[in-house]
Amino acid sequence: KTCGSFAKSIGGQESEALRALTGAPTEYLEHQSMSPDELWNKIFPADKADFTMCCGVGEGNYASLGLVNSHAYTLWGCFEYKGKRLVKIRNPHGETEWNGSWNDNDPNWTKDMKAKC
């Protein structure tokens, strides 16, 4: 209602759309200015506290990995297992599949790790 329609709320920072849709307070993390540890120390506890999170992909050559440029994703979960840190994201349109490391067919996935994550 703030923007007049859902279609008009699309674009810009994901955190602003999330705030407009839910009314919940949001925090925008500029991951390029953070170390991987700093970023993990923000999102991992937020996931464990059941915060609603989203992330986005900017401009670049990400299609070969299965990501859509300039697109928002749901950050579905954070997992830490045997020194590996993984995030699970969901494409709301579901038209592409992740092809990078840790994709569904990656041999790093063990039965134990799949059960944990």
Side-chain angles (χ1 to χ4, degrees):
K1 289 184 178 183
T2 301
C3 301
S5 72
F6 286 121
K8 291 179 182 175
S9 71
I10 297 172
Q13 291 180 346
E14 295 81 7
S15 59
E16 293 303 316
L18 190 60
R19 180 188 349 234
L21 292 172
T22 66
T26 61
E27 180 179 1
Y28 175 76
L29 302 176
E30 185 64 52
H31 73 276
Q32 291 94 340
S33 63
M34 303 174 81
S35 73
D37 286 337
E38 288 173 315
L39 182 60
W40 185 257
N41 290 336
K42 290 290 248 181
I43 65 172
F44 187 75
D47 178 56
K48 299 311 167 215
D50 288 328
F51 288 6
T52 299
M53 293 188 285
C54 56
C55 58
V57 175
E59 292 296 323
N61 187 17
Y62 304 108
S64 64
L65 296 173
L67 296 175
V68 178
N69 289 338
S70 300
H71 189 56
Y73 291 84
T74 303
L75 203 159
W76 201 255
C78 299
F79 305 94
E80 193 164 17
Y81 184 75
K82 294 188 178 180
K84 301 291 183 191
R85 293 175 171 173
L86 301 171
V87 293
K88 182 177 182 180
I89 62 172
R90 180 179 181 269
N91 178 351
H93 300 294
E95 296 172 359
T96 60
E97 187 74 23
W98 174 250
N99 298 315
S101 298
W102 298 99
N103 69 59
D104 290 340
N105 299 314
D106 191 315
N108 286 309
W109 283 114
T110 64
K111 192 179 277 189
D112 188 40
M113 191 161 195
K114 282 183 179 182
K116 172 73 174 171
C117 299

